[in-house]
Amino acid sequence: MAVMRPETSPGSDLDAELLLTMYRHMVRARVLDERMWVLNRQGRAPFVISCQGHEAAQVGMAMALRPGYDWIAPYYRDLALTLVLGMTPRDHLLALLARAADPNSGGRQMPAHYGYRPLNIITGGSPVATQVLHAAGAALASRVRGEDAVAYTSLGEGSTSEGDFHEGLNFAAVHQLPLICVVENNGFAISVPWSKQGHTKDVADRALGYGMPGVIVDGLDPVASYHAMTEAVARARRGEGPTLIEAKVARLTPHSSDDDDRPYKTREAVAEEKAQDCVLRFRRVLEQRGVLSPGDAEEVRAQCMREVDRAQEEAENSPLPSPESLHLHVYGDQ
Ligand SMILES: Cc1ncc(C[n+]2csc(CCOP(=O)(O)OP(=O)(O)O)c2C)c(N)n1
């Protein structure tokens, strides 16, 4: 079993409508993410953790899943993934502003703790990598029920240092469960680089130790991400076991709205990542292929802005949880 590096040729073999759908999803996530930062900097939102630089990987991966059928145990950066699956900017802004109507937790959880029952998005906790175990359990349940639903989970490369990652992947491999684990490798765990987390060149190398395929994919390319995920999903549905996918992505912001990356990331490195911005890169690919004109691209952004404007207004006008409901869902529904 070897680590695979599939060849990528952005946009070469998918039809124009699918490519445009990918692009729209990427821009929608970017516009929403940027708005969240604005709300934070205005003092209206407490905390933002960003998907900027991860959109291509997340959109490609999500488009290969069956929303509401497959099981999803995401991590905090998966804004774009959850949008593709069917959550809306309104859902996310209700959570960011801690409103009672927030479908994730009724305004209880920190922002970016996704959980949405109709889409089988399993609520998670803050300790990183715990979701890998939840997903392994969901994959086992799918097998026991005789279904072909797969379980998807994701985490950052730094979080692979947690025991939960090892336990979840090893269990899934031993029992050949339909689990797909995506490591969104942006190079840093807050300020700690990969070289201080693991002694393998790539995170995907670890798959060999579990006896499952490890796939390295250009996570700045939604098409490559879509293909890698489509193959992993097909394998899992056929009963051929789990896959570890490492998507090489970029973190275009500091770790979170509470972080300052200047002490540990050079400005040159930041500029280099921004020059490879996956949204701009995919726009250029689509323009070169004649699938998207500059005017279309502006229109896509304008539509997303209008949707996010509306969502923000609705979220801001939505009531906060009542003080009497403070204990609801803490020890039960009373
Ligand atoms: C068990 C645990 N340890 C530490 C933290 C604090 N923490 C939150 S995010 C984070 C960095 C995770 O980095 P990585 O897994 O590379 O993901 P990234 O944020 O870069 O996408 C840390 C250390 C935590 N939430 N849980």
Side-chain angles (χ1 to χ4, degrees), residues 159-173:
S159 303
T160 65
S161 297
E162 288 292 326
D164 308 49
F165 173 77
H166 166 73
E167 291 160 31
L169 261 58
N170 195 54
F171 184 85

Side-chain angles (χ1 to χ4, degrees), residues 3-247:
V3 170
M4 294 176 272
R5 291 172 177 271
E7 286 294 309
T8 67
S9 47
S12 55
D13 59 343
L14 296 179
D15 71 64
E17 201 39 57
L18 195 62
L19 296 172
L20 283 173
T21 302
M22 283 178 170
Y23 181 69
R24 281 191 213 104
H25 279 308
M26 288 169 67
V27 174
R28 188 168 177 242
R30 176 64 61 89
V31 166
L32 176 60
D33 196 291
E34 287 172 349
R35 180 64 54 87
M36 289 175 162
W37 280 87
V38 170
L39 291 171
N40 173 266
R41 292 314 194 223
Q42 290 175 338
R44 291 198 270 178
F47 178 79
V48 178
I49 195 152
S50 197
C51 79
Q52 291 184 39
H54 291 227
E55 293 97 337
Q58 292 179 18
V59 166
M61 305 280 176
M63 286 180 69
L65 291 163
R66 275 176 66 185
Y69 182 71
D70 293 325
W71 293 91
I72 314 294
Y75 91 124
Y76 44 78
R77 290 205 196 279
D78 283 332
L79 183 73
L81 178 105
T82 56
L83 285 169
V84 176
L85 291 173
M87 294 190 74
T88 64
R90 180 176 177 276
D91 293 333
H92 287 302
L93 289 167
L94 286 166
L96 183 73
L97 301 176
R99 304 297 153 147
D102 157 31
N104 300 275
S105 72
R108 264 66 176 171
Q109 277 269 37
M110 260 179 99
H113 285 56
Y114 311 115
Y116 194 57
R117 202 183 279 256
L119 290 169
N120 289 350
I121 298 177
I122 305 168
T123 192
S126 293
V128 296
T130 43
Q131 69 275 16
V132 180
L133 300 174
H134 303 161
L140 178 63
S142 174
R143 154 76 58 76
V144 169
R145 289 182 185 135
E147 296 170 352
D148 72 349
V150 305
Y152 169 97
T153 191
S154 52
L155 69 169
E157 81 293 340
S159 303
T160 65
S161 297
E162 288 292 326
D164 308 49
F165 173 77
H166 166 73
E167 291 160 31
L169 261 58
N170 195 54
F171 184 85
V174 167
H175 298 284
Q176 288 294 284
L177 300 179
L179 175 78
I180 296 135
C181 179
V182 176
V183 175
E184 298 180 28
N185 184 354
N186 60 28
F188 282 91
I190 310 184
S191 57
V192 181
W194 169 246
S195 59
K196 292 207 166 77
Q197 299 278 356
H199 197 57
T200 55
K201 179 171 170 292
D202 298 301
V203 179
D205 292 343
R206 293 186 170 180
L208 301 180
Y210 301 119
M212 66 173 72
V215 181
I216 297 171
V217 71
D218 175 1
L220 303 180
D221 176 1
V223 177
S225 304
Y226 174 77
H227 284 317
M229 192 63 172
T230 300
E231 270 182 39
V233 166
R235 235 185 341 264
R237 292 206 205 285
R238 287 196 301 264
E240 292 170 18
T243 302
L244 174 63
I245 298 177
E246 176 184 2

